[in-house]
Amino acid sequence: VEYDSSIAPGTRDTLNFTALGVDNPYIARFTTIAMGQPVYLVSTDAAVGDIFGGYIDTCTVANYPGYPAVYSWACTCASWAGLAMRRVVPPTLPTTWTGVAGDIVFAQVVLTYLSNDGVDVSTTAAPAINLAAATGANVGQLLDQIVQLVTTSTQAWYWTTDVWRTFILAP
């Protein structure tokens, strides 16, 4: 298991793991691992708790000569922030905000364009911004743009997601 975490612009949390099919109780019960499958990682240390939540973005399956089933799965997982990177503004919902608080715009973008993904929002009060969400605009790029618009010379902002699909805007 390899976990990488970052709130730097343009980066997102990732989790890489390899699972063997040999004597694996998960594989015995469910038979496979698949792309798009949700992934949740929690620490064995109760003080640390939740570490990663996301989905399998890429999965490489390997066989071993003489072994009758899939021998291993090597997976790369994207955090729930990847949901925003995979969605665009639909033709029926372009929107423009003028002079609206950045946290309100962030919440509306997330809840309007990602609501079918079971997401939630947590924000901190942010300065007013102007933003246009044109048809076909990438939702992740809109969230990045909101961060750029609310960031000032004295306060940098970021957006991320937690393990429970809560999209967070914070300074």
Side-chain angles (χ1 to χ4, degrees), residues 51-78:
I51 296 174
F52 177 86
Y55 58 91
I56 297 175
D57 192 41
T58 61
C59 185
T60 304
V61 178
N63 291 321
Y64 187 76
Y67 188 72
V70 172
Y71 183 74
S72 69
W73 293 262
C75 300
T76 299
C77 305

Side-chain angles (χ1 to χ4, degrees), residues 48-146:
V48 175
D50 302 333
I51 296 174
F52 177 86
Y55 58 91
I56 297 175
D57 192 41
T58 61
C59 185
T60 304
V61 178
N63 291 321
Y64 187 76
Y67 188 72
V70 172
Y71 183 74
S72 69
W73 293 262
C75 300
T76 299
C77 305
S79 72
W80 292 120
L83 294 172
M85 306 316 268
R86 295 170 29 179
R87 303 285 185 263
V88 296
V89 175
T92 57
L93 291 173
T95 308
T96 300
W97 295 270
T98 304
V100 179
D103 56 307
I104 301 300
V105 175
F106 181 88
Q108 288 180 355
V109 166
V110 170
L111 296 175
T112 299
Y113 304 125
L114 303 175
S115 63
N116 291 339
D117 292 311
V119 299
D120 199 4
V121 175
S122 173
T123 62
T124 301
I129 62 171
N130 301 328
L131 181 73
T135 297
N138 179 279
V139 175
Q141 290 174 350
L142 287 173
L143 298 179
D144 289 342
Q145 191 174 358
I146 292 168

